[in-house]
Amino acid sequence: MLTTTGRRADHPPATRAERIAVAVVTVTFGLWLLVWALVVPVFQAPDETAHIDATVHLAIGDPWVAPGEMHVLNAVQAAAAQQATLPKSEWSDFAELLGGAPGESSTVDQMTQHPPTAYLVGAVVLKALHFADLRWDHAVLALRLVDVAAVTLLPLLTWASVRRLTRSPRAALIGALALFATPQLASIASSVSNDAPVMLFAGVVVWLSVRLLTGDLGWRTTVALGVTLGALIWIKGTGLPAVPFVALVALVAGAGALTLRRRVLRTVVTVGVAGLIGAWWWLHNIVTYGRVQPNGYTAMRPPKDFPPGEHPTLAHFLDVSWGTLARTFWGSPGIKAQVSIGDLLTSLLTLVALVVVLAFAFRRAPDRRTVLVLAVFPALLIGIQTYTSAHAYLTTTEVAATQGRYYFPAIVCLVALSAVAWRRLAPRGRAGDGLAVGLAVVLPGIGLYGLGVVASWFWNAARSPPDRRRRRPVRGARPGATGARRGRAAARRGGSRRDGGRGRPDGRPDPPPRRRRAHDDGRLDRRSAERPARSPPPSTRHRAPGAERNC
């Protein structure tokens, strides 16, 4: 088999011990995702409420409407209200929720800006399990397990890609372990999200691309790459940057062994197969809306001008973008579960990863062309997302569409580039072996630290008494519960619910109400406890209110 330079490839077969090791890592990663699926509370992972709602919409037979026209079901909001106010034993099944809280709320579900593919799969799973008879959290867990099953193969794909690229069993195994060092990846992969299947198919695309770039020039691999790319872009727009990446791979692969005419033909076949499978949705958007992907957030974040005396600045944009990207790439589990693994640690990890890759991965070497081509995929993701975020900042005054998980489709590329860089950086001999052992210990350790932070948050939240939790009136929640409590409290004070308890049985007026202080009865005032202790720093004043909800 020939490489891209025409030389015969040297890919030693995996030993039995190596195959056992990678199998253990893959199974452990699946169990790791299962733990995350059980630990992170429902509706807390980024956009999980919208993803669940979109899936339920299809499961009950609703159509996939235009972006911005779908609204969150009252039944889904009622489930969220039960989670905040009731013990788990009193939670309803979906039939009770749909019957007790019919219709839609006023909250927009922006997920119809994406293809319905991932949600159709989830709807089929719900209907197969007769989800109407399941308690709502059990139905959500079933959807989470579908995503867990999809992403479990990611260490195997990473190992195969790194081993093919570096020809190093040790680097390949450490590359598979590196996935544990990103707790946010585990959080996204174990929640209800359309990002999970994107990670699976993007990983397969990168693995097949590495095979082509390292000498596997068979038509079977080429057609498989086109089919996988088509499935990827059929799921979500974050897969679209893979189209020019794959076109470049097909054009470069075999240079020196194949003529330019044959490589152009292979490129046309690969992109054509992908287009036949997944381009229809994006062509529909162009014809219907005049753009590749409409914005489902227009109703929530319409265009507006900056306040008088303020204007966009590059320093502010870079400040908010860097902080948000670093935090949400490594570990920021979700909406109310805003538990980061630490700003200092995330910034340090980001800087080290960037410096090592940029300084060592692209050095002159026989595999330099392959490394440069692999870098195109993450570079396209960064460029497109930066443009989208800058456009949102200039038109809505908010730095939005900036999330670290948007780069997870290229996670196998990023690990492969890091493996090449660290392999060139590591000294030979015992020192290199020691560095490899150290990385094999440190990388899963970072993941365990992130899981420990989230688990401690969940444990503390679960131990809080129900009356100390935050309660929000949600349409579809138990009607009259708050009013009944007010009525009973008013009756105890000698008044009615309507007059707020003022007035005594003897006709004398109540004394003026005593201002409740934080230490009354040894309890914190709930409203004071819920109010932020201080205003947000200036670097975040233009950040979108739902920064974790940017899909």
Side-chain angles (χ1 to χ4, degrees):
M1 187 173 294
L2 299 179
T3 65
T4 56
T5 58
R7 296 181 300 174
R8 186 165 296 279
D10 181 19
H11 303 293
T15 63
R16 184 167 179 258
E18 186 182 358
R19 290 195 296 268
I20 293 175
V22 72
V24 170
V25 171
T26 303
V27 172
T28 303
F29 187 72
L31 297 176
W32 167 257
L33 297 182
L34 177 61
V35 171
W36 276 87
L38 297 173
V39 166
V40 177
V42 181
F43 304 122
Q44 301 307 299
D47 283 331
E48 188 168 39
T49 300
H51 290 300
I52 294 171
D53 176 74
T55 306
V56 175
H57 265 289
L58 293 181
I60 62 178
D62 289 346
W64 198 250
V65 297
E69 295 185 7
M70 178 181 285
H71 293 77
V72 177
L73 293 167
N74 287 324
V76 174
Q77 292 197 337
Q82 287 186 357
Q83 184 188 45
T85 59
L86 297 177
K88 186 174 292 187
S89 60
E90 298 181 22
W91 291 356
S92 305
D93 57 39
F94 257 110
E96 294 171 343
L97 291 176
L98 292 169
E104 295 181 341
S105 67
S106 60
T107 304
V108 174
D109 185 340
Q110 77 278 13
M111 291 305 160
T112 50
Q113 68 184 359
H114 303 302
T117 314
Y119 306 104
L120 286 171
V121 173
V124 169
V125 171
L126 288 182
K127 296 182 75 171
L129 296 175
H130 303 286
F131 76 104
D133 300 327
L134 295 177
R135 203 173 71 187
W136 63 263
D137 60 315
H138 294 163
V140 172
L141 180 59
L143 294 177
R144 284 185 168 189
L145 293 181
V146 172
D147 288 349
V148 167
V151 188
T152 294
L153 293 178
L154 206 57
L156 179 62
L157 294 169
T158 304
W159 168 81
S161 302
V162 174
R163 196 181 192 282
R164 181 95 182 176
L165 180 62
T166 64
R167 302 182 180 90
S168 169
R170 183 178 63 187
L173 192 59
I174 293 178
L177 288 170
L179 298 176
F180 288 88
T182 312
Q184 183 70 8
L185 186 149
S187 175
I188 296 298
S190 58
S191 65
V192 182
S193 171
N194 57 1
D195 290 309
V198 166
M199 284 190 276
L200 170 65
F201 285 101
V204 177
V205 164
V206 173
W207 169 60
L208 293 173
S209 298
V210 170
R211 292 191 65 89
L212 258 71
L213 292 170
T214 54
D216 186 357
L217 303 177
W219 275 105
R220 182 173 60 181
T221 303
T222 303
V223 173
L225 179 58
V227 171
T228 308
L229 176 62
L232 172 62
I233 63 177
W234 195 11
I235 298 172
K236 191 174 182 179
T238 49
L240 290 175
V243 176
F245 165 68
V246 168
L248 181 62
V249 168
L251 187 61
V252 170
L258 300 176
T259 64
L260 177 61
R261 184 175 181 179
R262 291 185 62 184
R263 286 185 280 125
V264 170
L265 175 62
R266 298 167 74 91
T267 303
V268 172
V269 170
T270 304
V271 177
V273 170
L276 290 174
I277 296 174
W280 65 273
W281 174 262
W282 311 107
L283 293 175
H284 157 266
N285 283 350
I286 293 174
V287 172
T288 306
Y289 309 110
R291 55 188 302 180
V292 175
Q293 178 162 315
N295 184 8
Y297 268 115
T298 302
M300 292 175 280
R301 289 200 293 263
K304 61 181 178 180
D305 297 327
F306 280 81
E310 296 188 19
H311 57 85
T313 63
L314 180 61
H316 173 72
F317 174 76
L318 293 179
D319 177 37
V320 176
S321 296
W322 169 264
T324 305
L325 283 175
R327 174 175 55 85
T328 59
F329 182 90
W330 296 102
S332 181
I335 302 170
K336 297 179 184 176
Q338 283 299 322
V339 183
S340 174
I341 63 175
D343 292 341
L344 177 61
L345 179 59
T346 54
S347 296
L348 183 62
L349 288 171
T350 305
L351 287 174
V352 170
L354 288 175
V355 169
V356 170
V357 170
L358 295 176
F360 295 94
F362 304 104
R363 289 188 171 185
R364 189 175 300 277
D367 59 353
R368 185 182 184 184
R369 179 192 297 170
T370 300
V371 172
L372 288 172
V373 173
L374 288 178
V376 169
F377 190 18
L380 286 172
L381 283 170
I382 293 173
I384 293 174
Q385 294 302 331
T386 301
Y387 169 80
T388 304
S389 180
H391 181 267
Y393 178 44
L394 295 175
T395 57
T396 68
T397 75
E398 297 170 347
V399 181
T402 303
Q403 295 293 315
R405 67 182 184 273
Y406 295 159
Y407 306 130
F408 287 162
I411 191 68
V412 177
C413 271
L414 294 173
V415 172
L417 294 173
S418 300
V420 172
W422 281 100
R423 191 163 181 261
R424 293 175 181 172
L425 172 64
R428 304 299 178 186
R430 293 183 178 179
D433 294 337
L435 178 61
V437 173
L439 288 174
V441 173
V442 169
L443 295 176
I446 296 173
L448 287 173
Y449 171 64
L451 180 61
V453 171
V454 178
S456 65
W457 177 89
F458 174 61
W459 177 254
N460 292 332
R463 294 181 63 187
S464 300
D467 61 338
R468 307 247 332 243
R469 297 179 187 174
R470 184 176 183 179
R471 293 185 175 93
R472 292 181 178 178
V474 180
R475 184 181 298 179
R478 297 170 62 197
T482 303
R485 284 194 295 269
R486 290 175 180 169
R488 289 192 295 269
R492 286 194 297 269
R493 294 193 298 268
S496 66
R497 183 180 64 187
R498 179 169 298 177
D499 64 17
R502 290 185 298 273
R504 294 181 175 180
D506 57 5
R508 292 185 297 135
D510 276 341
R514 181 171 61 93
R515 184 175 181 179
R516 189 176 183 184
R517 292 173 293 179
H519 60 272
D520 284 349
D521 301 326
R523 295 188 297 271
L524 288 175
D525 183 272
R526 185 177 302 141
R527 289 171 296 179
S528 300
E530 292 172 1
R531 189 177 301 120
R534 55 185 175 87
S535 60
S539 62
T540 61
R541 67 178 181 272
H542 291 307
R543 186 179 298 169
E548 298 301 326
R549 297 180 297 161
N550 301 327
C551 63

